[in-house]
Amino acid sequence: MPKSALQVFNALEDKPISSKELARKTNLSERTVRYALKILKEKELVEEIFFLRDARRRGYRRKAILG
């Protein structure tokens, strides 16, 4: 897994956060953050949430681990 994906994963919270906010928080480019999120979603570590007020906006958070 790329270093950037680990950075993004560590910056995620329980509440949804946008890719733009993640870019600011990690000092990575938005493009790098989107790529990292793609990898994390493929590995089922992150879930994508659509904001109710604006369905075009998406947020991301760590997936809850059951068990």
Side-chain angles (χ1 to χ4, degrees):
M1 187 178 314
K3 205 178 206 180
S4 59
L6 293 173
Q7 269 185 278
V8 169
F9 184 76
N10 289 330
L12 286 168
E13 302 171 1
D14 291 333
K15 62 180 179 124
I17 184 171
S18 71
S19 59
K20 190 175 268 193
E21 291 171 290
L22 282 167
R24 259 188 260 124
K25 200 171 180 180
T26 58
N27 291 322
L28 296 170
S29 71
E30 286 185 52
R31 184 178 181 171
T32 301
V33 168
R34 285 192 305 270
Y35 178 69
L37 287 167
K38 178 181 178 250
I39 291 169
L40 293 168
K41 284 191 302 184
E42 286 172 356
K43 294 192 179 289
E44 298 182 4
L45 297 171
V46 169
E47 59 185 341
E48 185 174 23
I49 311 277
F50 290 93
F51 290 110
L52 294 177
R53 292 183 185 189
D54 185 354
R56 294 170 297 182
R57 289 190 60 221
R58 297 179 190 139
Y60 301 89
R61 67 179 176 198
R62 290 182 187 185
K63 223 173 192 180
I65 299 171
L66 302 175

